[in-house]
Amino acid sequence: NGMAYQVHIFQSGDDPKASDAICNYQVGKCCVCWDEPRGLVFIPCGHVTTCRPCGEKIYRTGGKCHICREEIKRINDVFID
């Protein structure tokens, strides 16, 4: 669609409160199930913290990003090496 988005991939130490309370950043796992790799970006905030199944569930239920609490208007797949 020609639009560009900034993607935020949190790493250990970016925000001590968020990393302690919300995600296991060191291993790049989903912050919800802690099983699958992160692979979904929330738009417009750009946070990449969940796997596709967990992120879709949050999006479908009208949820907000659990990092910044911004309303999720769209989701997109992200491929992380």
Side-chain angles (χ1 to χ4, degrees), residues 32 40-43 50-65 70-77:
V32 177
L40 195 76
V41 60
F42 295 141
I43 297 172
T50 67
C51 64
R52 183 164 237 325
C54 291
E56 281 182 335
K57 187 174 184 179
I58 293 168
Y59 174 67
R60 281 195 313 266
T61 58
K64 296 180 179 183
C65 174
E70 187 167 352
E71 178 185 354
I72 301 167
K73 297 187 180 190
R74 283 188 41 213
I75 54 175
N76 274 345
D77 288 315

Side-chain angles (χ1 to χ4, degrees), residues 7-12 14 25 38 46-49 78-80:
V7 175
H8 302 278
I9 301 174
F10 280 82
Q11 299 299 323
S12 178
D14 284 350
Y25 297 123
R38 293 176 281 171
H47 287 121
V48 179
T49 57
V78 172
F79 301 96
I80 303 170

Side-chain angles (χ1 to χ4, degrees), residues 9-21 23-27 38:
I9 301 174
F10 280 82
Q11 299 299 323
S12 178
D14 284 350
D15 180 345
K17 288 186 281 186
S19 63
D20 290 345
C23 288
N24 185 353
Y25 297 123
Q26 283 104 335
V27 294
R38 293 176 281 171

